[in-house]
Amino acid sequence: MSKKIILLLVIFTIFFVGNLAFAQDGLVPCGKTGPDGKIVNECNFDQFLILIVKIYNYLLLIVAPIATASIAYAGILYAFYSTNDSKRKQAHDIITSAVWGLALALAGYLIITQLFKLLVTDPTIRSNVLDRVPFK
């Protein structure tokens, strides 16, 4: 039954929470045509890096609630079955995995921002996109 609850939380997070934040801009901000039919914003490598930052933001929206739900589930498991050694070990493993997963997801922020600062050539794009990344 616990796997069903976790699966429902994952589905809810993916389809409802994440889509609310990214409904306005779209994934790639280039290749749009103006009223005269010409392309307004050409696609280049900087636009590709913007895509990577947006995908990271979306994945972070998914990872954080899943880690929180996993830790809450493990806490409930630990509280109700504290005398059962196997359940206590299972709860401990769930908490450890959730914390490591969240730490890796947040460490990805450092990697993405440093690569973005290194690779993006246009300073206006750099400042606009890095403002969208959480944890400034």
Side-chain angles (χ1 to χ4, degrees):
M1 179 162 162
S2 64
K3 290 183 181 180
K4 289 181 184 178
I5 293 172
I6 292 174
L7 180 64
L8 287 174
L9 285 173
V10 169
I11 290 172
F12 176 78
T13 303
I14 290 172
F15 290 113
F16 295 111
V17 176
N19 291 332
L20 295 176
F22 295 102
Q24 295 177 358
D25 290 340
L27 244 101
V28 182
C30 66
K32 296 186 171 109
T33 56
D36 57 353
K38 293 185 178 181
I39 295 178
V40 176
N41 192 4
E42 298 266 339
C43 293
N44 56 20
F45 185 68
D46 292 346
Q47 304 296 329
F48 174 71
L49 293 174
I50 290 172
L51 170 70
I52 291 174
V53 168
K54 286 186 177 186
I55 289 172
Y56 168 76
N57 288 341
Y58 183 75
L59 291 176
L60 194 61
L61 279 175
I62 294 171
V63 168
I66 290 174
T68 304
S70 297
I71 291 171
Y73 170 71
I76 291 170
L77 197 69
Y78 192 78
F80 285 119
Y81 298 105
S82 61
T83 57
N84 189 343
D85 287 339
S86 66
K87 291 288 187 181
R88 197 169 59 212
K89 183 178 178 350
Q90 180 185 5
H92 185 268
D93 291 343
I94 291 172
I95 290 173
T96 304
S97 298
V99 168
W100 274 110
L102 192 58
L104 286 174
L106 295 177
Y109 162 75
L110 296 173
I111 296 168
I112 286 179
T113 54
Q114 293 307 313
L115 283 176
F116 200 81
K117 287 177 184 178
L118 179 69
L119 296 175
V120 172
T121 55
D122 189 0
T124 58
I125 290 177
R126 184 184 304 162
S127 64
N128 288 340
V129 172
L130 288 179
D131 286 343
R132 294 181 186 178
V133 176
F135 317 118
K136 284 198 321 185

